[in-house]
Amino acid sequence: MSPAKVVLAYSGGLDTSVAIPWLRETKGLDVVTLTADVGQPVDLEEVRAKALRSGAVDARVLDLRREFAEGFLVPALRVNALYEGVYPLSTALARPLIGQHLVALAREVGAIHIAHGCTGKGNDQVRFDLCTTSLAPDLRVIAPAREWKMTREDEVAYAARHGIPVAATRASPYSTDENLWGRSIECGTLEDPAVEPPEEVYDWTRSPESAPAAAERVVIEFVDGRPVALNGQSLPVHELIQQLNQAAGAHGVGRIDHVESRVVGIKSREVYECPAALTLIRAHQALEGLVLPRDLLEFKRGIERRYAELVYDGLWFTPLRSALDAFAVETQHRVTGSVSMKLYRGSATVVGRDSPHSLYRPELATYSSGDRFRPEMAEGFIYVWGLPARTWGATAAPPPPSSSAGDPT
Ligand code: ARG
């Protein structure tokens, strides 16, 4: 009988490469790897070949860029998702997509386990494990890096013993993760949150100081809250995001320096580059501000915060997320129009917005001729609107608490 199988989420890095022979030796499993293209700049054929050389019995590579953009980034943009108000959830959003494909591949090849390279301290283990629990409660998750007690040096030695090529160049002290929605950087000197991130950690963005002195305008068109065109050119969402990452990154837009509250309770210092995500979220918010009424905008903000938290917490495959999505979709029917953004030395600023559903009425807003607002109605409105405040103010205040209370004398 051939050994049982495990499907491993494989990036091609040292941890997941070492995991292949480790799963074979320690758990007696045949390893099938899955590498997802979510827009990270790697040679996927090379990664596939490396998986096979490291001992995988089968190595699959999937181009998931379109599915990632349509199924995860568009929903996140609809709710302007920013964890703790600053992080667009780039890594977090890719996990349920990859998790879903890990489960599908496990079913296809008859695997009984799912494996990933996450450590026991981060959020990603929570996300992968919860995906599997929700979608395939019968599959068990193995996280080798949570079990083995190897240091980096041990891993390099283990790799050498198993014929796994280790990059000859001195390894970067940083841990990074990249996809269409952003690049994250951790570790090394970044572990001191008091110290400014050195320029070398950045890869997608020019420093604002060295960015071009001339500003650039980009026009983003939305239909039902979905970005559909950039500077007049219709594009599939994933391509629009890729182009905007280039354009905004060249102006130093998208750098984020965040002390983040992890699911496991740790505070960690995270640096991100998310040029397209931040530009699109700002543009989308500006369009919503033009076409949606105040109470809906205000109520939606609470939904947005909750949505961002549950994505961060790995709860994508839950009824709460589906229900919040349904609400968000319902709010977007008029979020159609265009927004002009000025990219300039680290900032993406809204400089114009237009929509066929605009609630902006020049004849109401103007202070010049053609004003149709009726100021004489304001006094009566304020009389009624202010009634509770006036009543409160006119009612005698209770006496102040006695100052001798609790005095031991
Ligand atoms: N802190 C981020 C998150 O939990 C990103 C983690 C990405 N991992 C990395 N190795 N840089 O979503």
Side-chain angles (χ1 to χ4, degrees), residues 361-378:
R361 290 283 178 278
E363 69 274 22
L364 293 178
T366 187
Y367 283 95
S368 305
S369 60
D371 185 1
R372 302 262 319 275
F373 187 78
R374 294 161 62 188
E376 70 279 7
M377 306 301 275

Side-chain angles (χ1 to χ4, degrees), residues 87 89 91-92 95 123-124 127 175-177 184-186 260 262 268 270 272 312:
Y87 165 43
L89 296 157
T91 294
R95 297 320 187 196
N123 299 313
D124 286 330
R127 297 169 186 148
S175 162
T176 59
D177 180 62
S184 92
I185 314 108
E186 304 176 326
E260 188 169 293
R262 284 194 186 165
S268 71
E270 308 277 332
Y272 300 101
Y312 190 83

Side-chain angles (χ1 to χ4, degrees), residues 222-235:
F222 291 88
V223 172
D224 293 349
R226 205 171 161 279
V228 295
L230 185 63
N231 296 328
Q233 191 194 3
S234 298
L235 291 168

